[in-house]
């Protein structure tokens, strides 16, 4: 006869023959329980060691393949759909970032292409977590493109501040990778031509110290002609970095942002396959 006992990833075969004593059986089962408890404790420690500070600074986590690493995290939902046949690019000399995205048309569910561009002092972030994003892995200064839900026929200047806050700081947003930010405040909001600019302050919770880390962001948004979605660039830095010069970098990056309907071409308008 043969019986097996399975616990988590441990598979232990225990012989049921007459030669196996009761004491031996108890020893084997006791060892199995101790080993399993050790694995659970190790996983718990791995979760505790994950630090949101490191993610905001570098865009990565300290244990990328661990229990709480990127492999176990869902990609932030920021509405960006890249056009098939195009790539996100950044010129290393000028810092110019270029990408073609798809947004919904005003009068239908059909998609229309929009060209987004901005000038960034930070390198292009690569990896499965990122769509169109540039960041400094040492300081955490960063900028990323986001596309809002349907604006419901509103113009960009008529949208309430809460519309942007609700979207950008949602549980699945870019800043909520390890928990939703707190103390979110819109400090200012103004129009510059067809673009809306908001200054926002918020705080993220440190996984390691359980303390709140102040951060500031500048958001620029526009609704491309013919679209029912707002396209925006969000640039941010820690409050400490903001005071030490990051505000100038953020401002220049935001002010360079453009989002305009793409010229008509013979290319088919299809979204990139996210599995590719």
């Amino acid at each position: 006869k043969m019986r097996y006992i399975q616990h988590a990833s441990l598979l232990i075969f225990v012989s049921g023959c007459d030669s196996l004593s009761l004491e031996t059986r108890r020893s084997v089962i006791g060892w199995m329980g101790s080993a399993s408890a050790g694995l659970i404790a190790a996983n718990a420690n791995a979760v505790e060691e994950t630090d949101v500070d490191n993610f905001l600074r570098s865009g990565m986590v300290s244990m990328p393949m661990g229990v709480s690493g990127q492999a176990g995290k869902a990609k932030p939902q920021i509405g960006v759909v890249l056009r098939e046949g195009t790539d996100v690019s950044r010129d290393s000399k000028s810092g110019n970032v270029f990408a073609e995205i798809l947004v919904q048309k005003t009068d239908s569910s059909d998609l229309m292409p929009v060209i987004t561009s901005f000038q960034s002092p930070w390198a292009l972030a690569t990896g499965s977590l990122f769509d169109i994003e540039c960041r400094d892995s040492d300081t955490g200064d960063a900028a990323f493109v986001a596309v809002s839900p349907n604006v419901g026929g509103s113009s960009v200047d008529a949208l309430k501040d809460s519309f942007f806050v609700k979207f950008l700081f949602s549980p699945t947003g870019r800043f909520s990778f390890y928990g939703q930010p707190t103390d979110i405040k819109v400090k200012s909001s103004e129009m510059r031509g067809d673009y809306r600019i908001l200054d926002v302050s918020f705080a993220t919770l440190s996984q390691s110290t359980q303390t709140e880390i102040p951060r500031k962001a500048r958001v620029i948004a526009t609704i491309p002609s013919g679209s029912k979605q707002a396209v925006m660039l969000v640039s941010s830095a820690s409050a400490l970095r903001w005071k030490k010069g990051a505000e100038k970098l953020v401002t220049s990056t935001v002010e360079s942002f453009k989002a305009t309907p793409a010229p008509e071409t013979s290319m088919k308008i299809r979204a990139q396959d996210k599995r590719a």
Side-chain angles (χ1 to χ4, degrees):
K1 298 178 181 180
M2 182 68 71
R3 294 183 301 172
Y4 67 89
I5 299 172
Q6 183 175 5
H7 185 77
S9 60
L10 296 175
L11 183 63
I12 301 176
F13 290 90
V14 180
S15 173
C17 64
D18 295 338
S19 61
L20 188 64
S21 67
L22 179 61
E23 288 76 10
T24 302
R25 293 177 186 229
R26 287 175 176 172
S27 297
V28 171
I29 294 174
W31 173 85
M32 178 186 71
S34 299
S36 300
L39 286 176
I40 294 171
N43 287 348
N45 289 335
V47 173
E48 290 177 359
E49 291 173 2
T50 302
D51 191 351
V52 70
D53 306 345
N54 188 64
F55 177 77
L56 287 175
R57 182 172 62 254
S58 66
M60 303 293 180
V61 292
S62 58
M63 299 181 301
M65 295 307 293
V67 174
S68 54
Q70 293 182 68
K73 296 295 183 181
K75 180 179 179 179
Q77 301 301 305
I78 53 178
V80 173
V81 178
L82 296 171
R83 184 176 185 176
E84 184 182 72
T86 67
D87 291 311
V88 181
S89 64
R90 176 181 178 272
D91 186 281
S92 59
K93 293 182 179 180
S94 66
N96 289 332
V97 179
F98 178 91
E100 193 166 351
I101 64 174
L102 298 179
V103 297
Q104 292 182 345
K105 288 184 176 181
T106 303
D107 54 359
S108 71
S109 59
D110 292 340
L111 299 175
M112 59 174 279
V114 168
I115 293 176
T116 62
S117 63
F118 61 96
Q119 193 171 44
S120 169
W122 313 299
L124 194 66
T126 57
S128 60
L129 286 177
F130 309 106
D131 291 307
I132 308 169
E133 181 166 342
C134 293
R135 63 186 306 109
D136 185 320
S137 59
D138 293 324
T139 65
D141 301 351
F144 64 89
V145 173
V147 179
S148 80
N150 190 335
V151 297
S154 294
S155 58
V156 70
D157 60 315
L159 289 172
K160 294 182 178 179
D161 293 345
S162 58
F163 175 85
F164 297 98
V165 169
K166 183 179 179 181
F167 169 63
L168 292 174
F169 298 97
S170 72
T172 57
R174 185 66 181 85
F175 294 115
S176 302
F177 200 74
Y178 287 110
Q180 276 186 278
T182 59
D183 197 26
I184 304 167
K185 297 178 181 177
V186 177
K187 297 293 187 178
S188 66
S189 179
E190 63 175 309
M191 286 296 299
R192 295 186 189 177
D194 295 328
Y195 291 80
R196 172 93 165 265
I197 299 178
L198 301 92
D199 279 340
V200 186
S201 65
F202 57 100
T204 55
L205 185 66
S206 169
Q207 291 289 98
S208 59
T209 63
Q210 293 299 298
T211 56
E212 291 188 334
I213 303 170
R215 195 170 182 85
K216 294 188 176 184
R218 186 156 291 161
V219 182
I220 183 167
T222 189
I223 301 176
S225 178
S227 169
K228 56 185 175 186
Q229 292 176 281
V231 180
M232 62 196 84
L233 180 72
V234 184
S235 188
S236 69
S238 68
L240 183 61
R241 280 280 307 151
W242 196 271
K243 294 179 180 179
K244 292 184 176 181
E247 181 181 7
K248 292 182 180 179
L249 296 175
V250 167
T251 299
S252 62
T253 301
V254 164
E255 291 181 346
S256 69
F257 179 67
K258 299 293 181 185
T260 56
E264 292 186 9
T265 67
S266 58
M267 281 181 60
K268 291 184 178 180
I269 301 176
R270 291 188 298 206
Q272 275 190 14
D273 186 348
K274 295 183 178 181
R275 297 169 298 176

